Amino acid sequence: MKVTIITVTYNSAKYLEDCICSVINQNYGDIEHIIIDGGSTDETLSIIKQYETHIAKWISEKDNGMYDAINKGMKMATGNVIGLLNSDDILASEDVIINIVAAFKKHNVDSVYGDLTYVDQKNTEKILRFWKGGKYNRQRFLYGWMPAHPTFYIRKEIVDELGGYESHYFTAADYEFMTRYLYRYRISAFYLQKLIVKMRNGGVSNGSLSRRLKANRRDYLAMRRNQIPFPFIASVLKPLIKLHQYYYTFAHRLR
């Protein structure tokens, strides 16, 4: 089973090397790493070229945002399974991909997701928030639940059938994508109880109250589009459901 990992970059030199090395260090051999760059003007391209022998494909050209770039990567992908890794983030351990592949094979599912930690930008061992995916239950979407997007791996044949990201949802495009696949079209999913990604703290949709409100409005539109009952209630609950992440963070620190 070949696994395609897509990384989107734009002036991402600061942490890109960490990202690439976390893929190189995987103990699973059949990985296709694709990098889609949006025309960077910093040292991003130099870093890509430095690791070019470990990168299956890469392009650098202007795009219409992150999700347009991801769609480009999906069209280029030749793997059986596709996942994403943000340029600031790292795979949490060397056995992440081999465990994801094992889950696909053992449970014969369309998608696999797991756990994610938000970490300090400079010290990735310092956990700020723990996002525990939890056992899959489609009904959880009614309460605003979603898997952690960077941990979500899906069979390419499903993507070819149901389509890519709808970039006009902006920061809610990842939520719309997973809601469309998991809730509307009822693809199967398995929760892998394992830390998949360490995500450096930050993010466009969470940067300010106004941005959060805009993102919440787009979540609501995505819910309506994908036939979630009572979408307004679900959109109100969606930010609140994140509170449990702080509980898991506290519990994790007590171990």
Side-chain angles (χ1 to χ4, degrees):
M1 180 179 283
K2 181 191 287 188
V3 178
T4 297
I5 297 176
I6 299 169
T7 297
V8 172
T9 61
Y10 181 70
N11 292 340
S12 304
K14 190 172 184 180
Y15 298 117
L16 179 58
E17 187 172 19
D18 290 352
C19 169
I20 293 173
C21 288
S22 78
V23 177
I24 293 172
N25 291 335
Q26 291 300 300
N27 59 17
Y28 184 74
D30 204 357
I31 297 176
E32 175 185 60
H33 195 186
I34 296 175
I35 297 182
I36 309 297
D37 180 72
S40 292
T41 56
D42 65 354
E43 295 301 311
T44 295
L45 298 185
S46 296
I47 295 170
I48 292 172
K49 290 174 183 177
Q50 179 183 345
Y51 291 95
E52 199 163 17
T53 56
H54 298 281
I55 298 166
K57 303 171 186 176
W58 70 275
I59 59 171
S60 181
E61 61 186 23
K62 288 187 177 182
D63 53 51
N64 293 316
M66 182 175 72
Y67 296 103
D68 176 53
I70 294 172
N71 286 338
K72 289 181 183 181
M74 284 179 160
K75 290 177 181 177
M76 295 168 62
T78 62
N80 306 100
V81 167
I82 297 176
L84 309 176
L85 184 63
N86 297 325
S87 61
D88 289 350
D89 303 341
I90 56 175
L91 295 172
S93 58
E94 295 177 357
D95 61 349
V96 164
I97 299 302
I98 197 169
N99 276 273
I100 289 173
V101 169
F104 270 104
K105 290 181 176 180
K106 180 178 180 180
H107 300 282
N108 192 28
V109 289
D110 300 320
S111 62
V112 171
Y113 66 95
D115 298 337
L116 174 148
T117 53
Y118 292 89
V119 297
D120 183 79
Q121 290 196 8
K122 294 180 180 179
N123 178 12
T124 58
E125 297 303 311
K126 183 179 180 181
I127 297 173
L128 305 178
R129 185 154 43 115
F130 193 105
W131 188 335
K132 189 173 181 65
K135 185 176 180 181
Y136 181 66
N137 182 345
R138 179 175 172 268
Q139 297 304 307
R140 293 173 73 190
F141 276 95
L142 304 183
Y143 308 103
W145 176 85
M146 62 182 283
H149 182 236
T151 75
F152 187 67
Y153 283 70
I154 187 167
R155 291 187 186 271
K156 185 179 187 296
E157 63 193 56
I158 304 294
V159 174
D160 292 340
E161 178 185 352
L162 299 181
Y165 290 81
E166 305 260 353
S167 58
H168 60 273
Y169 283 97
F170 299 97
T171 55
D174 54 355
Y175 175 72
E176 191 284 325
F177 180 87
M178 291 187 292
T179 305
R180 180 174 7 125
Y181 277 60
L182 292 166
Y183 186 81
R184 185 175 182 182
Y185 290 109
R186 298 172 181 257
I187 71 165
S188 58
F190 176 75
Y191 166 55
L192 176 62
Q193 192 172 349
K194 180 176 178 59
L195 181 59
I196 305 297
V197 170
K198 293 182 178 181
M199 172 181 274
R200 284 184 165 90
N201 195 41
V204 174
S205 65
N206 298 315
S208 67
L209 178 59
S210 62
R211 285 179 175 175
R212 184 57 257 170
L213 290 173
K214 287 179 181 178
N216 193 250
R217 168 67 177 170
R218 291 162 184 155
D219 289 341
Y220 166 76
L221 294 174
M223 291 171 183
R224 284 189 57 185
R225 188 262 175 99
N226 291 295
Q227 303 169 7
I228 290 183
F230 309 108
F232 177 76
I233 295 174
S235 68
V236 171
L237 292 174
K238 186 171 181 288
L240 299 177
I241 206 170
K242 293 181 180 180
L243 292 175
H244 80 279
Q245 296 172 17
Y246 294 97
Y247 165 79
Y248 287 120
T249 303
F250 179 72
H252 184 80
R253 289 174 178 171
L254 291 178
R255 292 179 183 176

